Each structure stands twice: as structure tokens, then as C-alpha cells.
Amino acid sequence: MPSPLPVLPLETLNLATWVEATEAEGPGWRFAIWTQGCAIRCPECVNPHLFAHKPARLETVPAMLARIDAARERQPALEGVTLVGGEPFEQDVALAALCREVRARGLTVMAFTGHLREELEARGSPLLAHLDLLVDGPYVAAQRTEGRRWIGSTNQRLFFLSPAYRPDDPRFLEPNTAELRYDGKGQVHLVGFPFARLRAALSQLRGE
């Protein structure tokens, strides 16, 4: 049984990690943020270590904005921010405050959720108003796909919530990709959508 969602101070985010610049989590170079905690818990999710509702890296909205600004100075081609999970919409109030400021800086915002867009609209999630792209729906292992960019299973839908992107943008027609990122602290992070052969290779390296 999932544990209750923690109550966080206003404009405080419970994050698992982030990557300052990746091309595997949305169009262009993006600052990707993984939230901690997910009550949906899709079977065979690639990030089961992010299910637990426990304090991980507690960051304020201003602190994360400062990190994004610094990343943009290092990578001027940075196009936007992507929210991954965990389940970002479990922290949608603080993330709405973050994304409002991100878009005010001229960057775009993409989010992934296991909920349906209709569910989020019905509950009045404040985060929806500050997104340019939304991928919705739970991951369904039996419908896994590697051929749709930024889509994990064929039931998931991609919504264009602003004029920032168009469906005929060629970047949305490419196959999925994955990246291995070394964080300089002895950890290698898999970013993007791990293909079966890559997951098998990593499992072999871990001795699983």
C-alpha cells in the first residue's frame, strides 16, 4: 500500500535528482528534473526507486531556478525544462510556481504523468497552465514501444498545450533515445528510454 504523500512547505520540492542538459527527455537541450514519490507505481516502471514518499533532496523553488539559470549560462542552447518522476503532479503546486518562472525566462516546459489529462483538469491542477508539452497515461509494459519519441507505451498521449511546438516538428517523429550520464560522484545515470538490450547490458554489469 503506497504511503501517504508528505506535506511539504510552500514552494518546496522533494526531488530525486536532476540533469542540467540532456536531449533524451524532450525536444532540444533540456534541464530534466526527477521528482521523488509516486502513488501510481506502474508495474515494470523504469524508476521504481522513485516510488517511495520519503524526503530525498528538498529544494526550494528559488534554489532550483538558480540552478536552471546557471545551467543556461553553461549551455546557452538550453531550450527548456522537463519534469519526470516519480509523479510530478503530486507536487503540482510548487512545480507550477517553478514552471511559471521558467517560462517567463523564455524556456519551455514538458511534463510526464501517469495520470490522464482529463483527471488533472477535473481536479484543477495548477501545473497544467504552465506546460507546453504533456505526456499522460500510466506506463503499460504490455504496450511498450521504442518507436515513438518520448513515449514509453502506446496508450500514452502527447499533448501540445501551447504554440511553442507543432506535431510536424521532425524531432517528434524520431525513435526514442537513451543517454548514460556520469555525475562525477561515482554514479552513472540512465536518462531517457532504455531499450531492452541496454537494460539487459546494465543488469549484466550489476550482476543481476
Side-chain angles (χ1 to χ4, degrees), residues 84-155:
V84 200
E87 174 49 59
F89 280 84
E90 291 180 3
Q91 302 182 48
D92 58 353
V93 173
L95 284 172
L98 175 72
C99 294
R100 180 181 63 245
E101 296 302 320
V102 165
R103 293 177 85 200
R105 285 159 164 75
L107 299 173
T108 61
V109 180
M110 181 176 187
F112 292 83
T113 179
H115 296 287
L116 297 180
R117 176 185 178 181
E118 293 83 358
E119 297 170 356
L120 299 172
E121 289 175 337
R123 84 180 198 199
S125 172
L127 180 54
L128 286 174
H130 304 290
L131 300 180
D132 298 285
L133 295 167
L134 174 71
V135 175
D136 83 339
Y139 172 69
V140 178
Q143 298 180 46
R144 176 181 171 82
T145 180
E146 297 179 358
R148 293 179 62 199
R149 195 72 187 267
W150 304 304
I151 298 292
S153 57
T154 56
N155 62 294

Side-chain angles (χ1 to χ4, degrees), residues 6-206:
V7 177
L8 299 174
L10 187 65
E11 291 204 352
T12 297
L13 296 160
N14 186 18
L15 307 178
T17 190
W18 53 83
V19 170
E20 290 192 356
T22 174
E23 293 183 289
E25 297 291 353
W29 286 101
R30 308 192 72 80
F31 189 109
I33 299 172
W34 284 261
T35 61
Q36 180 69 43
C38 178
I40 300 174
R41 304 190 173 205
C42 301
E44 298 188 37
C45 172
V46 72
N47 290 326
H49 56 295
L50 304 186
F51 289 169
H53 293 105
K54 62 181 181 181
R57 302 176 70 171
L58 299 181
E59 296 283 339
T60 66
V61 167
M64 287 309 299
L65 285 170
R67 292 181 186 277
I68 293 167
D69 289 340
R72 197 178 188 185
E73 288 185 9
R74 290 187 285 271
Q75 173 57 279
L78 198 70
E79 187 169 324
V81 171
T82 296
L83 308 176
V84 200
E87 174 49 59
F89 280 84
E90 291 180 3
Q91 302 182 48
D92 58 353
V93 173
L95 284 172
L98 175 72
C99 294
R100 180 181 63 245
E101 296 302 320
V102 165
R103 293 177 85 200
R105 285 159 164 75
L107 299 173
T108 61
V109 180
M110 181 176 187
F112 292 83
T113 179
H115 296 287
L116 297 180
R117 176 185 178 181
E118 293 83 358
E119 297 170 356
L120 299 172
E121 289 175 337
R123 84 180 198 199
S125 172
L127 180 54
L128 286 174
H130 304 290
L131 300 180
D132 298 285
L133 295 167
L134 174 71
V135 175
D136 83 339
Y139 172 69
V140 178
Q143 298 180 46
R144 176 181 171 82
T145 180
E146 297 179 358
R148 293 179 62 199
R149 195 72 187 267
W150 304 304
I151 298 292
S153 57
T154 56
N155 62 294
Q156 295 174 326
R157 303 175 296 176
L158 172 61
F159 293 98
F160 295 79
L161 302 182
S162 82
Y165 297 102
R166 293 171 51 92
D168 59 358
D169 185 324
R171 292 177 294 184
F172 293 97
L173 304 177
E174 298 171 356
N176 265 326
T177 59
E179 300 171 357
L180 292 177
R181 296 271 176 173
Y182 178 65
D183 66 1
K185 301 177 182 178
Q187 296 291 321
V188 176
H189 298 280
L190 179 59
V191 183
F193 294 78
F195 304 124
R197 62 185 180 275
L198 179 56
R199 297 174 72 181
L202 289 174
S203 294
Q204 187 175 14
L205 285 173
R206 291 195 296 260

